[in-house]
Amino acid sequence: MSDDLFSHNPAKSRYELEVDGLIAFADYQRSGHRLVIPHVEADPALRGTGAAGRLMTKVAEVARAEGMRITPLCSYAAAWLRRNDPELIA
């Protein structure tokens, strides 16, 4: 497996994690000091590899660095935040 490539794609309002040419992404909307995450999705070939979790780790790092909290509308994002970074939940 190659290295993960994390990027911000403002044109699509999403954060992306590329793994071996495949994409996992988290759509977002900014609302004041909140990052609203309505949807997280991974390419079917990435499911079960932990790619979505690695993506959420990076999204949480960005939110923390920018002094933002996260409002997860997506059930995956909500569950990940409850397990891994509950203090970021807004």
Side-chain angles (χ1 to χ4, degrees):
M1 183 184 289
S2 67
D3 291 332
D4 295 344
L5 178 62
F6 177 75
S7 61
H8 178 213
N9 185 337
K12 291 186 176 181
S13 294
R14 69 186 198 182
Y15 292 100
E16 300 173 341
L17 186 77
E18 183 179 340
V19 182
D20 295 331
L22 303 173
I23 299 289
F25 64 89
D27 291 327
Y28 72 84
Q29 293 135 15
R30 290 179 183 263
S31 177
H33 290 288
R34 289 185 309 133
L35 189 63
V36 180
I37 305 289
H39 184 72
V40 174
E41 184 175 330
D43 185 279
L46 291 177
R47 294 184 186 151
T49 68
R54 294 192 306 275
L55 168 68
M56 285 301 301
T57 296
K58 295 292 190 182
V59 170
E61 289 172 5
V62 168
R64 184 169 276 106
E66 295 181 9
M68 300 185 81
R69 307 273 310 267
I70 299 175
T71 300
L73 303 181
C74 166
S75 60
Y76 176 82
W80 188 93
L81 284 163
R82 279 193 306 272
R83 280 192 313 270
N84 298 285
D85 223 338
E87 68 277 3
L88 279 181
I89 298 173

